Amino acid sequence: DLLKASDFILAAERYDYQGIEPFTCVIVDCPGAEINSYELVWDGARSHFKKLDKGSNIWSSSLLYSQEVRKDREERFRRFKSQKELTAENLLNFHASKGSEKNEGLIIDRGFLKTRSITQVLHLDGKLTMYYQDLLEEGPPHLLSFT
């Protein structure tokens, strides 16, 4: 419904989310050279919609991870950003980290619950490129380009 709306922002703010499971949605709007990002969170009782500041963010599922684990991931991402240049390759490597502890890395494998894929979308020089790596099947990553 929201993707079909002529004004996404207005539709997201007015939508009736009752009966829908809680979710977080990150929306990136690229009208021309300008990029605007928004976060839409439905917590099961209220929707929260905000424009994001320019920069980089990290999200972790509130249904899968405790507040402590989410805060730990945010801190690790903050340290990563202070130590490394934020290139597409460095961000992919960060996202693909497995870690040695159960919840330490970003790739999870709890038997019944596994990270399915890594997806990265780049918007450079008016061109969109999407990287998709299926983690459950062997094979090379897929690269798709859009103009």
Side-chain angles (χ1 to χ4, degrees), residues 6-7 41 43 50 54 57 70-71 73 79 81 84 86 89 92-93 102 112 114-115 119 123 134 136 138:
S6 59
D7 184 336
V41 176
D43 64 15
K50 68 179 180 181
K54 301 285 186 211
N57 299 281
R70 291 193 313 271
K71 290 290 183 196
R73 286 177 167 204
R79 283 193 315 265
K81 291 188 306 184
K84 299 251 186 190
L86 290 183
E89 183 178 3
L92 277 174
N93 290 336
K102 183 176 180 181
F112 68 96
K114 295 181 182 187
T115 301
T119 302
H123 181 259
D134 188 326
L136 301 182
E138 300 277 330

Side-chain angles (χ1 to χ4, degrees), residues 41-100:
V41 176
W42 168 245
D43 64 15
R46 287 187 51 227
S47 65
H48 312 270
F49 186 77
K50 68 179 180 181
K51 184 173 184 178
L52 297 171
D53 294 331
K54 301 285 186 211
S56 51
N57 299 281
I58 186 169
W59 289 268
S60 297
S61 171
S62 58
L63 297 175
L64 298 177
Y65 302 103
S66 67
Q67 179 74 12
E68 179 184 357
V69 171
R70 291 193 313 271
K71 290 290 183 196
D72 177 65
R73 286 177 167 204
E74 290 170 10
E75 175 58 25
R76 282 190 288 129
F77 187 55
R78 187 196 62 72
R79 283 193 315 265
F80 169 81
K81 291 188 306 184
S82 70
Q83 297 168 355
K84 299 251 186 190
E85 181 183 359
L86 290 183
T87 65
E89 183 178 3
N90 286 344
L91 285 169
L92 277 174
N93 290 336
F94 176 80
H95 192 244
S97 67
K98 291 185 180 172
S100 58

Side-chain angles (χ1 to χ4, degrees), residues 1-2 5 8-23 40-49:
D1 291 341
L2 296 178
F8 181 88
I9 295 169
L10 185 61
E13 291 174 338
R14 294 183 176 175
Y15 196 81
D16 179 8
Y17 298 100
Q18 293 298 319
I20 298 174
E21 290 292 323
F23 65 86
L40 170 60
V41 176
W42 168 245
D43 64 15
R46 287 187 51 227
S47 65
H48 312 270
F49 186 77

